[in-house]
Amino acid sequence: MEDGQVTARAEGTPQGATLSPLVANIYLHYVFDLWIQSWRRRRVRGDVVVVRDADDIVAGFQHRADAECFRRDLEARLQQLALALHPDKTRLIEFGRYAADRRARRGERRPETFDFLGFTHSSGKARSGNFLLIRQTSRKRMKAKLAIIKHELMRRRHLSIKRQGRWIRSVVQGHLNYYAISTNSVAIQQFHKQVVRHWYKALRRRSQRDRTTWRRMRLLERRWLPRALVHHPYSTERFDAKTRGGSPVR
């Protein structure tokens, strides 16, 4: 599907199908994963970190020259296979521990952000003054999710409160299980607040005589919705817990 139009094709996999990420992982294992391991040993002078999720890739380099070399070589590699990088999603940005200070000395604005796996990543500072990677729910993802919830609540508004509550609790809990990380507390609280507003509006639309009040909504919120609290510690703490002493903590 492109621009809302469905087109039958003899090649590729259906957009959104469960087969698509599986085929992408198998294909890119040979096209990218094995290639990048060989490339980094031959071409890189500094540290390199690469994270790939299906066809979404983020690569971090210690030196800008290595990043520019990687982009040129990757484009050449993909051209050999009749593939190409997405022009609107491929960027070379300055990011990390020293990016903000370096850009400030040059009179430039704060480092750019980037979206990956549903989060907007930005450079920040902890209360101690040390560098802190800030991850917040992508606005695009949150807007799309809330639109789906709004539609579903309207569609289910004539069901019993118990059935509605069970459904919306499972949806909110699933959202928190993924997005309730450190540095993202404001976004998950906003999500929780908007879900309550959409539920209130859906209940009020059940009839012209509906008497649902905000006082009742607060009771329903406490009864059915999980609290918008951070579930996961900082990523550095999870890493330390898993690797302390050279073996997983048991």
Side-chain angles (χ1 to χ4, degrees), residues 4 6 16-17 21 45 56 59 61-62 67 79 85 109 114 128 158-159 171-172 175 180 197-198 206 218-219:
V6 178
R45 295 187 297 111
D56 292 328
F61 298 86
Q62 183 178 3
Q79 286 179 358
L85 296 174
R109 300 178 62 183
F114 66 93
S128 62
H158 294 298
L159 300 178
V171 172
V172 174
H175 183 88
R197 288 182 68 251
H198 289 324
R206 289 186 297 180
R218 296 308 177 196
L219 295 176

Side-chain angles (χ1 to χ4, degrees), residues 177-235:
N177 289 345
Y178 185 79
Y179 287 103
I181 63 173
S182 302
T183 72
N184 198 35
S185 58
V186 173
I188 61 175
Q189 290 169 6
Q190 291 176 344
F191 178 83
H192 187 278
K193 181 179 179 179
Q194 291 300 317
V195 169
V196 174
R197 288 182 68 251
H198 289 324
W199 195 9
Y200 171 75
K201 291 182 178 179
L203 293 178
R204 293 282 292 180
R205 288 286 300 275
R206 289 186 297 180
S207 72
Q208 294 181 349
R209 297 184 180 182
D210 188 89
R211 296 182 179 180
T212 301
T213 63
W214 274 111
R215 181 178 181 181
R216 186 189 181 199
M217 281 307 303
R218 296 308 177 196
L219 295 176
L220 293 177
E221 177 185 355
R222 288 195 292 269
R223 170 65 178 86
W224 293 107
L225 297 186
R227 299 180 63 186
L229 300 175
V230 172
H231 292 181
H232 310 291
Y234 288 102
S235 56

Side-chain angles (χ1 to χ4, degrees), residues 135-184:
R135 296 178 294 167
Q136 298 174 311
T137 310
S138 168
R139 291 184 179 181
K140 182 178 179 181
R141 286 287 186 91
M142 183 183 291
K143 183 178 180 180
K145 186 65 174 180
L146 287 173
I148 294 174
I149 291 175
K150 178 181 178 181
H151 173 76
E152 283 296 314
L153 284 172
M154 282 295 182
R155 191 175 68 86
R156 299 166 184 256
R157 66 185 182 274
H158 294 298
L159 300 178
S160 66
I161 295 298
K162 184 176 182 180
R163 293 182 62 182
Q164 291 185 50
R166 285 178 175 175
W167 177 80
I168 198 62
R169 178 171 58 191
S170 65
V171 172
V172 174
Q173 187 63 63
H175 183 88
L176 294 176
N177 289 345
Y178 185 79
Y179 287 103
I181 63 173
S182 302
T183 72
N184 198 35

